[in-house]
């Protein structure tokens, strides 16, 4: 049995999107000859929402090490609030101790807290262990460089320069790349020619059936959010100006319906839940201002505070229909699409035409309405009219959907692990 040391700053009970791949892969690693050990940041140092139900999905007996982090209370004054930067020193010390007493075949960084990845090159040099990075998002990106200041993330000036400095430290020595998008890998291999032959694999997040049962079995624990007097159309996930192009035609169609057939369309209510990563009560709405532009704010509810993972699933289960808006960034792919499909609800999805999510949705689901940014609003209007009239076509996963199960995609990860080890051995033998 080979051994992989997984670096994931967020892990259950912390509810963070970037730990989901590891969480849903853990039950299957041993099926493919790998034993995983997790090194995460103790949840007491995280301000992310906690969901203790997540622990039900973690296999018993998994070896989990928890590291400390500097208090955000103090580091935020220096502009260093991220969990990656606050935990970097403690990760170094803890993993050093682990690697001194145990032999691992591979180190696997699966996180969007990218600064911790610079330790891969250090551990590789000191302990002769190869490492793989899972690029769930772009690390250093020019996407926001030409955007107005109000559309840029907080502390963009600092983070842009920090990412530009740290990314090459981690990437130039990497032995394998996994990504949710081929665009991310292509960009990195163009940027750093030294890794052009590094093994790669494009692997989306997997569909994890056990989560649906956990949410259903525990729905009584959650305070209902939706309004039963309406036909509730729900999206749970981040917001942002980059999603406006996907959302605007829906609001345009809604406005048309409210003008022409108010007695029908006023039954519809759109919910955008958990749209901000800011601490509770501090999120700034990014969807409601767009709704106001189209004068449909009375039919749109935006809740910026994030809710627990299983409350998210329970809310999707209670919805009448689901909406999945994508970014205008062609590299964007939504990892959340699989839980949406597992709900077997009517679905409207709108993505950039180049997003990999389009192909996945079209291959995996029957009856879903999958559109690209710029498609005719009339298609959306007809769908909303059907929903307003109580006409729903539930999504039915196709046989292809099984290929995207968490178990199958875990196998693909381990295949990449094996390739990365061979690459490491060949490269350093010939060096």
């Amino acid at each position: 049995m080979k051994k992989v040391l997984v670096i994931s700053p967020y892990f259950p009970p912390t509810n963070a999107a970037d730990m989901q791949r590891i969480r849903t892969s853990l039950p299957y690693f041993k099926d493919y000859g790998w034993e995983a050990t997790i090194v995460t940041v103790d949840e007491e140092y995280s301000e992310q929402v906690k969901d203790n139900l997540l622990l039900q999905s973690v296999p018993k007996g998994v070896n989990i090490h928890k590291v400390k982090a500097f208090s955000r209370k103090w580091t935020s004054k220096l502009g260093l609030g991220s969990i990656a930067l606050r935990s970097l020193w403690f990760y170094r010390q803890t993993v050093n101790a682990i690697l001194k007493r145990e032999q691992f075949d591979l180190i696997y960084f699966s996180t969007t807290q990218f600064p911790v990845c610079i330790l891969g090159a250090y551990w590789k040099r000191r302990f002769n262990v190869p490492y793989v990075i899972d690029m769930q998002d772009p690390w250093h990106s020019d996407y926001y460089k030409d955007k107005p200041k109000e559309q840029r993330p907080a502390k963009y000036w600092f983070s842009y320069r920090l990412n530009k400095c740290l990314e090459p430290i981690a990437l130039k020595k990497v032995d394998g790349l996994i990504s949710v998008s081929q665009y991310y890998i292509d960009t990195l291999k163009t940027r750093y020619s030294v890794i052009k032959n590094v093994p790669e694999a494009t692997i989306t997040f997997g569909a994890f059936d056990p989560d649906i049962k956990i949410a259903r079995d525990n729905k009584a624990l959650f305070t209902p959010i939706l309004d039963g007097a309406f036909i509730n159309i729900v999206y749970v996930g981040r917001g942002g100006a980059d999603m406006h192009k996907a959302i605007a035609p829906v609001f345009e169609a809604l406005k048309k319906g409210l003008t022409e057939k108010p007695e029908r369309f006023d039954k519809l209510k759109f919910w955008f839940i958990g749209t901000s990563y800011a601490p509770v009560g501090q999120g700034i709405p990014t969807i409601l201002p767009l709704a106001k532009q189209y004068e449909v704010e009375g039919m749109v509810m935006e809740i910026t505070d994030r809710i627990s993972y299983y409350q998210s699933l329970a809310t999707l289960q209670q919805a009448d229909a689901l909406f999945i808006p994508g970014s205008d960034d062609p590299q964007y792919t939504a990892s959340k699409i699989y839980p949406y499909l597992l709900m077997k609800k009517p679905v409207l999805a709108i993505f950039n035409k180049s997003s990999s999510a389009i192909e996945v949705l079209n291959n995996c689901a029957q009856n879903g309405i999958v559109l690209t940014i710029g498609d005719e609003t009339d298609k959306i209007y007809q769908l909303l009219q059907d929903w307003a009239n109580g006409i729903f076509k539930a999504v039915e996963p196709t046989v292809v959907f099984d290929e995207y199960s968490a178990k199958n995609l875990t196998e693909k990860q381990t295949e990449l692990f094996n390739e990365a080890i061979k690459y490491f051995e060949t490269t350093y033998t010939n060096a």
Side-chain angles (χ1 to χ4, degrees), residues 127-390:
F127 297 101
N128 203 37
V129 182
Y131 66 99
V132 168
I133 297 178
D134 175 12
M135 300 298 298
Q136 298 180 21
D137 280 330
W139 184 349
H140 171 57
S141 170
D142 290 329
Y143 176 77
Y144 289 102
K145 197 171 183 180
D146 61 351
K147 299 293 186 294
K149 184 177 180 180
E150 62 272 12
Q151 292 185 19
R152 293 177 175 177
K155 301 176 183 176
Y156 173 74
W157 184 93
F158 174 77
S159 61
Y160 177 85
R161 285 157 179 79
L162 180 67
N163 292 340
K164 186 176 182 179
C165 174
L166 297 185
E167 184 185 80
I169 296 175
L171 267 297
K172 287 184 177 180
K173 297 295 183 180
V174 75
D175 299 285
L177 289 172
I178 290 175
S179 179
V180 296
S181 170
Q182 185 63 40
Y183 279 106
Y184 300 166
I185 293 175
D186 292 344
T187 298
L188 291 172
K189 288 197 168 186
T190 299
R191 187 177 293 163
Y192 307 112
S193 59
V194 69
I195 63 169
K196 64 180 180 180
N197 296 321
V198 162
E200 64 179 67
T202 301
I203 307 173
T204 63
F205 281 29
F208 193 59
D209 283 309
D211 281 342
I212 307 304
K213 184 178 186 303
I214 293 173
R216 185 176 292 114
D217 291 348
N218 292 278
K219 63 182 179 181
L221 298 177
F222 309 121
T223 302
I225 295 175
L226 308 182
D227 189 338
F230 291 88
I231 294 171
N232 295 294
I233 305 165
V234 178
Y235 165 73
V236 181
R238 75 162 182 87
D242 63 313
M243 291 187 169
H244 282 188
K245 289 183 180 179
I247 299 172
V250 176
F251 288 170
E252 182 181 345
L254 180 58
K255 180 180 180 180
K256 178 181 177 183
L258 291 170
T259 301
E260 297 179 355
K261 300 178 181 179
E263 72 285 355
R264 293 288 185 186
F265 279 76
D266 63 7
K267 297 178 181 178
L268 302 177
K269 178 153 287 192
F270 281 83
W271 296 82
F272 296 84
I273 302 171
T275 55
S276 174
Y277 292 115
V280 174
Q282 298 181 32
I284 299 174
T286 56
I287 308 303
L288 198 56
L290 182 66
K292 290 178 179 178
Q293 289 181 31
Y294 285 90
E295 301 177 335
V296 296
E297 65 270 24
M299 316 308 295
V300 175
M301 292 291 296
E302 180 177 8
I303 300 173
T304 58
D305 290 346
R306 299 178 71 79
I307 59 177
S308 72
Y309 179 67
Y310 287 106
Q311 185 174 17
S312 298
L313 295 182
T315 303
L316 294 178
Q317 289 171 344
Q318 295 159 12
D320 296 291
L322 308 177
F323 177 38
I324 318 176
S327 171
D328 57 14
D329 184 352
Q331 300 185 25
Y332 178 82
T333 181
S335 58
K336 66 181 73 67
I337 59 180
Y338 301 115
Y340 278 72
L341 298 182
L342 286 171
M343 296 298 163
K344 298 183 179 180
K345 298 275 185 177
V347 170
L348 168 63
I350 304 178
F351 284 85
N352 184 294
K353 65 180 181 181
S354 298
S355 172
S356 60
I358 295 289
E359 181 180 359
V360 172
L361 286 164
N362 284 330
N363 287 341
C364 291
Q366 294 177 341
N367 298 332
I369 305 300
V370 183
L371 303 176
T372 60
I373 293 172
D375 277 346
E376 297 176 13
T377 306
D378 288 347
K379 296 178 182 177
I380 302 171
Y381 176 83
Q382 183 58 54
L383 179 65
L384 297 188
Q385 182 172 246
D386 286 345
W387 288 353
N389 288 325

Side-chain angles (χ1 to χ4, degrees), residues 18-30:
D18 66 343
M19 64 84 192
Q20 299 290 9
R21 190 198 294 281
I22 289 303
R23 181 183 68 87
T24 59
S25 297
L26 275 179
Y28 311 114
F29 275 130
K30 286 188 176 180

Side-chain angles (χ1 to χ4, degrees), residues 67-96:
V67 306
K68 296 180 179 180
F70 291 113
S71 171
R72 195 174 190 279
K73 177 181 177 181
W74 305 109
T75 61
S76 60
K77 295 179 180 180
L78 303 174
L80 304 176
S82 82
I83 195 77
L85 296 174
R86 292 189 289 120
S87 65
L88 196 62
W89 170 258
F90 299 97
Y91 256 117
R92 182 180 183 273
Q93 298 300 97
T94 299
V95 174
N96 279 358

Side-chain angles (χ1 to χ4, degrees), residues 30-42:
K30 286 188 176 180
D31 292 344
Y32 304 110
W34 283 85
E35 179 182 350
T37 294
I38 309 297
V39 188
T40 187
V41 178
D42 193 304

